[in-house]
Amino acid sequence: HVSVCCFCCFQVVQGNILDEDVDAIVNPSSSSLFHDSKLSSDIMTAAGHLARRQNMKLINRHGSIPAGSVAVVTGGFLSCHSIIHAVGRALRRNVPQHFFSPYAVLAPCAVWSL
């Protein structure tokens, strides 16, 4: 599926995001850029030490990244140019999933970063 928004082209594909030759990968992140989800951890492990070092510099320089904001770092060893860390609100475990969708929180961050 391909769609165009704000002069950007988005394509939805099925497969391993780490194998895609794209401009950027959007990574769901916490405000500390600590990668506590499997997807986020896998992306940063594959990107390597350059991307992790840029994350640490961002946090050391600016502190935590506010929810609804993004932080952009190099793609490192990935074939993408950049990793866009989309920082969403902290998900609460006691809130039913239909009240608090991580996609609804992170999607605007990703689009705004482009």
Side-chain angles (χ1 to χ4, degrees), residues 21-107:
D21 185 15
V22 295
D23 293 329
I25 291 177
V26 178
N27 186 22
S29 296
S30 65
S31 61
S32 65
L33 300 184
F34 179 75
H35 307 291
D36 50 356
S37 74
K38 173 123 174 73
L39 172 62
S40 186
S41 177
D42 288 350
I43 290 171
M44 292 310 295
T45 298
H49 68 281
L50 293 175
R52 287 193 302 270
R53 187 175 302 139
Q54 283 187 357
N55 280 358
M56 288 189 300
K57 284 182 181 178
L58 280 170
I59 293 300
N60 289 338
R61 184 176 300 142
H62 302 289
S64 64
I65 309 299
S69 299
V70 297
V72 181
V73 299
T74 181
F77 295 122
L78 296 171
S79 58
C80 66
H81 300 287
S82 302
I83 299 170
I84 301 169
H85 297 292
V87 179
R89 293 183 213 124
L91 297 178
R92 292 183 226 121
R93 296 190 190 280
N94 59 348
V95 177
Q97 205 52 19
H98 64 277
F99 287 120
F100 208 91
S101 168
Y103 301 107
V105 173
L106 294 176

